[in-house]
Amino acid sequence: MGNELTVFKDQDFWNEKQLAALQQMGVSGASNADLAVFLHECQRTGLDPFLHQIYMINRKGKQNIQVGIDGLRLVARRAVDRTGETLSIKEEAWCGKDGKWKEFWAEDEPPLAAKVVLQRGRGMFPAIALYKEYAACKANGQLTGMWKKRPAGQLMKCAEALAIRMAFPQDLSGLHSDEEMDQADSPQDDDVVDAEVVDDSREGAATKAQRQAISGLLRKAGVKSPDLAASVLSSMTQRNVKGTADLLYYEAETFLSSRDLFVQRARQTLAQDTQPASPESKPATKKEGGDDAR
């Protein structure tokens, strides 16, 4: 049975035993195209869905591929083993209302943020996860699952996932950890920087969860109107975009794979768009009977 479930690099599609096992594990409503994409991600990352390292989850009618934090760590470890680099976590800390970072969290209330600094070779990759951006809640506002039991631990996993993805963009682009995606099932406010309404059934369109996450990042970058959002997104996608509603799935995934970088680029683009135009310099004119006439 173990060999029948092994995912090989050269297999073209899931075999019958694998499909049966995926269905038993909760994969439902997936088309052959969805399953083919999932197989590609399993082969690309080397993660095993039958060891719960990578998942495909049906969320609001769309298939989403997620990885466990152990899966992210495994991909990172394999990558540095290939290159001969070192990999270590240099700093882990939580921040409370007093604005001070603590290496140990013993408070009854959840922290406001968690920070991880990952070192890959000589490179340092700091990441900060904000509680308000990741905590998952029910419709009544109550925290769900592990966010209720151990919010500090969940938030630290989000920060670690961000740092790992920043350090290994080629290996992990577009993949998010379970803890990062918990909030995708939480009730969300409408996009305040998006004036468009989109049909979620559009082929290749960004999902509602993606659009809401990007809207939050735009607000964080200081984008406060639909017009500015359209201008920033058009600049970043290199095409005419009216708002988050026009984003494609792969574009949204690329932006969300490096959230800090997206915010930084959005701020730079916003600064350029809102910079007042310099007054046009008037050409110098010689007075009649100028120097030549002296």
Side-chain angles (χ1 to χ4, degrees):
M1 178 65 74
N3 291 334
E4 293 173 336
L5 293 182
T6 301
V7 179
F8 295 100
K9 282 283 188 181
D10 58 348
Q11 73 179 80
D12 296 327
F13 199 69
W14 304 98
N15 63 40
E16 292 185 5
K17 294 287 187 181
Q18 290 171 333
L19 287 174
L22 289 174
Q23 186 174 9
Q24 181 67 27
M25 294 167 62
V27 174
S28 62
S31 65
N32 284 344
D34 291 325
L35 291 167
V37 171
F38 186 40
L39 175 60
H40 169 72
E41 289 296 341
C42 293
Q43 293 170 323
R44 181 176 75 89
T45 60
L47 297 179
D48 192 333
F50 308 112
L51 294 179
H52 306 288
Q53 295 171 344
I54 187 168
Y55 313 84
M56 186 161 69
I57 298 174
N58 188 331
R59 178 173 287 113
K60 300 177 182 178
K62 287 187 177 292
Q63 299 297 331
N64 294 266
I65 299 175
Q66 296 175 203
V67 293
I69 189 65
D70 289 336
L72 292 178
R73 292 166 178 163
L74 179 58
V75 172
R77 173 52 58 188
R78 287 172 174 169
V80 295
D81 286 346
R82 290 194 303 268
T83 60
E85 296 173 288
T86 57
L87 177 66
S88 62
I89 292 179
K90 305 302 292 185
E91 182 182 355
E92 286 184 328
W94 290 271
C95 183
K97 292 181 179 179
D98 58 4
K100 297 179 180 179
W101 290 99
K102 303 176 182 179
E103 295 182 359
F104 179 74
W105 191 258
E107 309 297 331
D108 293 332
E109 60 183 14
L112 296 185
K115 175 173 63 174
V116 168
V117 179
L118 188 73
Q119 182 172 4
R120 176 185 180 180
R122 295 183 178 180
M124 303 293 285
F125 300 90
I128 295 177
L130 299 180
Y131 179 81
K132 65 180 181 180
E133 292 183 353
Y134 290 101
C137 299
K138 303 176 184 177
N140 61 5
Q142 296 295 314
L143 293 170
T144 64
M146 294 302 291
W147 284 99
K148 183 177 181 180
K149 295 180 180 178
R150 51 188 309 268
Q154 291 294 95
L155 191 60
M156 185 59 73
K157 287 182 181 179
C158 292
E160 183 180 352
L162 285 170
I164 292 175
R165 201 163 50 248
M166 289 172 63
F168 300 88
Q170 185 172 352
D171 302 274
L172 295 168
S173 176
L175 293 179
H176 295 82
S177 70
D178 303 331
E179 292 77 18
E180 291 177 286
M181 293 303 294
D182 282 344
Q183 48 75 36
D185 293 322
S186 300
Q188 302 285 339
D189 295 331
D190 293 335
D191 288 344
V192 298
V193 297
D194 189 4
E196 300 295 318
V197 176
V198 68
D199 176 7
D200 272 339
S201 66
R202 277 193 310 141
E203 185 67 25
T207 66
K208 183 178 181 181
Q210 288 176 321
R211 298 195 309 273
Q212 289 172 333
I214 290 174
S215 290
L217 295 179
L218 287 171
R219 289 192 295 271
K220 183 178 179 180
V223 178
K224 299 180 180 179
S225 74
D227 289 342
L228 285 176
S231 177
V232 169
L233 291 173
S234 294
S235 176
M236 295 177 73
T237 58
Q238 296 297 301
R239 63 186 184 87
N240 186 24
V241 174
K242 295 180 180 178
T244 60
D246 280 346
L247 289 176
L248 299 176
Y249 182 89
Y250 81 91
E251 291 173 331
E253 280 294 280
T254 300
F255 292 152
L256 294 174
S257 67
S258 298
R259 299 186 181 211
D260 291 341
L261 179 60
F262 175 85
V263 171
Q264 181 181 354
R265 289 181 58 195
R267 285 172 176 163
Q268 293 173 346
T269 304
L270 181 64
Q272 294 171 357
D273 290 347
T274 56
Q275 185 175 4
S278 57
E280 295 182 359
S281 58
K282 296 182 180 180
T285 58
K286 291 185 178 180
K287 292 183 180 180
E288 199 171 335
D291 292 340
D292 291 344
R294 290 180 183 172

